[in-house]
Amino acid sequence: DAGVIQSPRHEVTEMGQEVTLRCKPISGHNSLFWYRQTMMRGLELLIYFNNNVPIDDSGMPEDRFSAKMPNASFSTLKIQPSEPRDSAVYFCASSLEDKQPQHFGDGTRLSIL
Amino acid sequence: AQSVTQLDSQVPVFEEAPVELRCNYSSSVSVYLFWYVQYPNQGLQLLLKYLSGSTLVKGINGFEAEFNKSQTSFHLRKPSVHISDTAEYFCAVRDTDSWGKLQFGAGTQVVVTP
């Protein structure tokens, strides 16, 4: 079975530009999570969706970040405008139910110049 | 709220030697515990989990962990490591009553040398 698929794998852009990260969860999974990983702060949960509905977005750093899940097979994380401090690896994960183990994608390595 | 402490940021180990990665947690409620592994340029992969029952949990790739409630620990062990075990290892904890929010430790980098 295909795992969690993220695109792009790498993104380099200039500050001020809009960045959109994409995630396709494992088919049949109803919970989706976005994480950010940096050396300084480790793994941080940004937002959690259950059945396409955002349940907890308390980890979203600021209004420049937004996430959507228009259907069960697709989610986006958008940063507008981007800043150099947003540089990180962003992971998407999904689980069969919210209490089941999470399966991670390979991440998007984002560099904002 | 929970917190997770991984006591070692890096553990060098020789091939075929045993390794133990330490994890302690704090929580005011019952928890589930997990170990994940992250290979370079990849996402996290679940190694093993403790939900209930036997406190000794066996996972993939020959790893095992033991839940010690009195010491609030969940240390990960492998009796004989391979070069391919070089990776970063994350301990994570979740409140049994919550919706699934994982609290991760800072990670332990394992470097296996010949």
Side-chain angles (χ1 to χ4, degrees):
Chain A
D1 286 339
V4 176
I5 298 172
Q6 291 186 245
S7 63
R9 288 298 313 276
H10 304 274
E11 175 88 12
V12 181
T13 192
E14 293 186 346
M15 66 177 294
Q17 297 298 306
E18 178 179 289
V19 173
T20 300
L21 311 182
R22 297 172 177 79
C23 174
K24 177 179 170 56
I26 293 173
S27 177
H29 284 193
N30 71 354
S31 296
L32 185 138
F33 308 82
W34 281 101
Y35 290 89
R36 178 171 66 177
Q37 186 179 37
T38 62
M39 290 291 290
M40 290 294 292
R41 300 173 69 92
L43 268 164
E44 303 172 276
L45 177 68
L46 301 178
I47 188 168
Y48 156 58
F49 290 89
N50 184 260
N51 290 322
N52 313 337
V53 176
I55 303 298
D56 186 338
D57 65 355
S58 59
M60 295 286 265
E62 48 197 274
D63 292 345
R64 298 184 298 105
F65 285 69
S66 62
K68 294 182 180 179
M69 192 164 185
N71 57 61
S73 59
F74 185 65
S75 177
T76 60
L77 178 68
K78 188 172 292 187
I79 308 172
Q80 168 62 21
S82 58
E83 297 182 3
R85 60 192 169 118
D86 302 330
S87 298
V89 182
Y90 290 80
F91 288 103
C92 177
S94 70
S95 63
L96 189 58
E97 297 173 352
D98 60 4
K99 294 190 176 184
Q100 295 297 317
Q102 297 173 22
H103 298 259
F104 283 73
D106 285 338
T108 294
R109 184 173 296 276
L110 178 64
S111 296
I112 308 297
L113 306 177
Chain B
Q2 307 99 13
S3 67
V4 180
T5 302
Q6 292 184 242
L7 297 164
D8 305 296
S9 60
Q10 188 169 38
V11 173
V13 58
F14 288 111
E15 191 175 18
E16 298 183 7
V19 70
E20 179 180 80
L21 308 184
R22 296 178 292 170
C23 173
N24 287 88
Y25 69 93
S26 65
S27 177
S28 57
V29 298
S30 297
V31 296
Y32 297 142
L33 294 153
F34 306 83
W35 274 99
Y36 282 84
V37 60
Q38 184 178 27
Y39 299 104
N41 299 315
Q42 294 186 25
L44 279 69
Q45 178 182 357
L46 182 67
L47 269 180
L48 49 78
K49 60 184 185 288
Y50 172 79
L51 303 181
S52 65
S54 172
T55 56
L56 183 62
V57 179
K58 293 189 184 299
I60 62 172
N61 301 341
F63 284 92
E64 64 180 30
E66 186 156 18
F67 171 53
N68 188 318
K69 188 175 182 180
S70 63
Q71 297 185 6
T72 61
S73 68
F74 191 54
H75 300 334
L76 181 71
R77 301 183 185 93
K78 185 170 182 177
S80 175
V81 296
H82 302 291
I83 297 289
S84 59
D85 292 321
T86 295
E88 187 147 22
Y89 294 79
F90 292 91
C91 181
V93 63
R94 179 169 74 71
D95 175 0
T96 58
D97 292 334
S98 77
W99 49 257
K101 182 172 184 175
L102 286 172
Q103 182 68 45
F104 284 92
T108 297
Q109 180 68 43
V110 172
V111 180
V112 182
T113 53

